[in-house]
Amino acid sequence: MPHKVKEEIKSFKDLGLCDELVEACDSLGWKTPTKIQVEAVPHALEGKDLIAHAQTGSGKTGAFALPILNALLDFHSKQGYKSAPIFFALVLSPTRELAIQIASQFEALGSGIGLKCAVLVGGENIMQQQISLGKRPQIIVASPGRLMDHLNNTKGFSLHELKYLVLDEADKLLSADFEKALNDIFNVIPRDRRTYLFSASMTRNVKKLQRACLRNPVLIESSECCTVDTLKQQLCLMPSKYKDCYLVYILTEMSGYACMVFTRTCYATRLLSRILQNLNIRAIPISGQMTQQMRIGALNKFKSRECSVLVCTDVASRGLDIPAVDMVINYDIPQDPRDYIHRVGRTARAGRSGVAISLVNQYEAQWYLLIEEFIGKKLPKYDPQEEEVKLLMERVEESKRLSLMKLKETGGAKKRRGGDEDDEDIERYLGVKGKPSKFGKRE
Ligand code: AMP
């Protein structure tokens, strides 16, 4: 049956999906397909490879999960449940958190059809992962390094029957960071497969794309530099010495908002969280320096709204789906405009509204000009009364002095005792103290 033209697609049924999946979307409360789902799913159902530029929050996980599940169900109905290949699809993700999230969307969509999904990511127990592979899951969501670990060391595990490969955040996966692991993976999976590349920003480097061995892929362009219309983006210019005050001012003005504050360094996440906590703002840091257990703990505190401010590095900018984020603040404006897109994409997801405010001091103007050029529009100013902001100066400075002192003390204690008191403080706060993860390493 020829597929409907895009304008005619109003429902999941119109996309050409089977009834089980239409029902699954309905039970998740997905009423109509999102733009990327409308654009990607019909091509995928025709058996095409895809390169999709899809912004975060656009429903891109559904856009690749639905056709894969449709193909799996097709396989079941034509050849019987038992003859369907195990390890039917592999989804690679550059971060652990994103992998966990992708798997939970697969599981939600596949809950009515007995779908099994294994997550193979670093920082988690290898044996448990081996057990989950032993259950013969149809879907594997993995980070490249840990997947290779299993391919080399887990008896009986191979991907020679794989039918689908997805690279989520493909631009990151095709970068030098993952080159070795990805080449190793490409060498052990069948060439005869479908391949989907999904990313909010996409490399134009043809050589890199060729490595993914796509076959006549359909290119789905939702302009690389777009942000959603429901996102209100603003710029706040200030002298550098008032930056902390402006941050506290905005968080106080917008109190009640769930907010992510992005900084450049792990140290800054700790310092800023302490400064804010001293001022009775419920902030929690998350960075690559924390153990996996602490990171999940911090995310959960934020998701449950126990903490209203998540102070993070770019570890949290890619792919994390935290539905209730109302505001993103760039405390440090990113130097790569693509990071800006990823960060602000944490809010205004799936049709909701959101605010993104970027704090820019006299030394950072060049970076925001790059961003404006990239997104093709001028950011309007967020311009509070400077006098009102300055009223906060004394309290913020005092809190900063105390926080710096504390971090210096705990840093000194770390050297003396070989432990990290600041980590211990965070662990106590998260309630994970005393339960160190065996594989929880610091990156
Ligand atoms: P993603 O871009 O894949 O990270 O998805 C962002 C969020 O949108 C997730 O919470 C999904 O559950 C949700 N979502 C995906 N597709 C739809 C849809 N068609 N309608 C409503 N929500 C959706």
Side-chain angles (χ1 to χ4, degrees), residues 12 25 28-37 54-64 66 98 101-102 105 168 319-323 346 349-352:
F12 286 97
C25 294
L28 290 182
W30 297 4
K31 297 205 164 43
T32 49
T34 64
K35 189 160 175 274
I36 184 71
Q37 289 162 358
Q55 65 217 72
T56 47
S58 59
K60 67 190 166 101
T61 314
F64 60 73
L66 288 167
L98 178 57
Q101 223 167 261
I102 293 168
Q105 278 207 43
D168 198 7
L320 289 190
D321 179 32
I322 307 169
R346 304 296 87 217
R349 295 166 75 76
R352 298 182 190 89

Side-chain angles (χ1 to χ4, degrees), residues 1-73:
M1 185 182 77
H3 284 298
K4 302 195 175 202
V5 289
K6 262 189 290 178
E7 290 64 31
E8 286 176 20
I9 296 177
K10 302 246 165 7
S11 69
F12 286 97
K13 183 92 192 149
D14 296 340
L15 284 179
L17 293 166
C18 62
D19 292 344
E20 288 97 323
L21 290 174
V22 173
E23 270 169 37
C25 294
D26 190 50
S27 65
L28 290 182
W30 297 4
K31 297 205 164 43
T32 49
T34 64
K35 189 160 175 274
I36 184 71
Q37 289 162 358
V38 169
E39 292 187 348
V41 173
H43 290 300
L45 292 179
E46 280 171 5
K48 301 267 172 51
D49 282 1
L50 303 176
I51 299 180
H53 294 181
Q55 65 217 72
T56 47
S58 59
K60 67 190 166 101
T61 314
F64 60 73
L66 288 167
I68 291 175
L69 295 177
N70 203 78
L72 183 66
L73 285 165

Side-chain angles (χ1 to χ4, degrees), residues 63 106 115 148 160-161 285 306 330-331 364 369 379 410 428:
F106 264 102
L115 188 78
M148 274 321 292
H160 64 264
E161 285 192 81
E306 214 174 304
N330 284 313
Y331 176 84
E364 298 168 319
L369 290 174
L379 296 177
T410 52
R428 248 191 303 279

